[in-house]
Amino acid sequence: MKLTLNNAVTQVEISGIRQFSYLVRDTPGACALTIGEPDLNTPDAVKEAAKAALDDNDTHYPPGNGYTYLLEAISRFEETAHGLVYAPEEIVTTVGATEALSIALSAILNPGDEVIIPTPAFGLYEALVRLRDGVPVFLPTEDSRFQIVPEALAAAITPRTKAIVLTSPNNPTGCVYTRETLEGIHRILRDKPIFVLCDDVYRALCYTEDYHSFAEYADMRDRSIVVQSFSKPYAMTGWRLGYCMADRPVMSRIQVLHQYAVTSIPSFVQRACVTALGLPTNDIAELFRKRRDYVYRRLRAMGLEVEEPQGAFYMFIDIRKFGMDSVTFCTRMLKEGLVGLIPGIYFGTEGFMRLSYCYSDQDLKEGLDRVERFIKSL
Ligand code: PMP
């Protein structure tokens, strides 16, 4: 008897980032600069709110999209802090930004639809598109300082283009799209039936005053889908909480998918989400900005080519001059230099590697010393 599975699913493998991270973890004595989450604990006030909710037996099925008080809190927060106007009915709380991206793509993609993914990119997008029988169309940005070039975007669009993913600040580059870039993208897309998936999960970790989300273009609100997460700004990665916002007709479909996928997020975490939204994020942003400055200085002093990131907690380092592909380079650096960085190819871009600075000053110094020694040994 021959059993067949879903063809799209059998073609997608477990993320290369995870596999390489496990290799680093399992290499004795290795120092990792791989992880993509803040090395901080969830703030006490957030934990206390969840504990109190448990003690109050807030443990029953909540409404599918989230408690009304949470949807209202998100709606208020987005408008007052970020100028994005979404009614509570236009929001769904999700199992991290991951679920938000998953159901948003499910809601819009038919088989064969193309999704433009600027690369380097977080690997989840390609996998999600393929899992829905969509076609990822990659738009390289490594030769334009990771900014999207409007002409290149225009050339990537076909009659089958259904969506584009915009990630700013970006994983893995830390790039923040400039006003000029956003204007250029808007000029190309404004009269086209193409959805814009704004993955803004690193928005709170921004080191420039001039941050704007594409979602601010109100004339494209009918095609914009915003994805947010509690993971990074509040050190809540393990809570698995995020949300998605979109214009009513699109959101009503996303909410149906959410209901049949997970019913709802857990009940007793929702008060904690409101508490989190009330917390300032300047301190965490300042902490990562200082680390960014240190790591950037060190890498430049080693003679490595790297763009100064304006957000998130990653750097995407050019290793093309060493004449090795990124997996060979990173594997050798791990084995010989005992320091782990993620090969750029896992983000769709050869000739680079990703460093994460979610580590203590001491660990960053040790990791960078090892990178320096390895490079000198070549
Ligand atoms: N988008 C980007 C760009 C990310 O880097 C990540 C996590 N690494 C996510 C989405 C998913 O975040 P969450 O923990 O909210 O699922």
Side-chain angles (χ1 to χ4, degrees), residues 36-75:
E37 60 169 318
D39 55 319
L40 307 168
N41 293 323
T42 301
D44 287 341
V46 176
K47 292 191 281 197
E48 291 306 325
K51 287 183 204 166
L54 273 176
D55 287 340
D56 289 347
N57 294 308
D58 186 359
T59 55
H60 299 275
Y61 281 129
N65 301 328
Y67 283 120
T68 304
Y69 70 77
L70 175 56
L71 299 173
E72 286 173 352
I74 293 170
S75 173

Side-chain angles (χ1 to χ4, degrees), residues 36 95-99 101 122 124-125 167 171 199 201-202 228-232 237 240-242 314:
V95 182
T98 304
E99 191 219 343
L101 288 162
F122 181 41
L124 179 66
Y125 311 134
T167 314
N171 174 9
D199 181 344
V201 300
Y202 292 101
Q228 267 303 340
S229 175
F230 289 89
S231 289
K232 321 283 172 169
T237 47
R240 311 303 308 123
L241 294 168
Y314 308 108

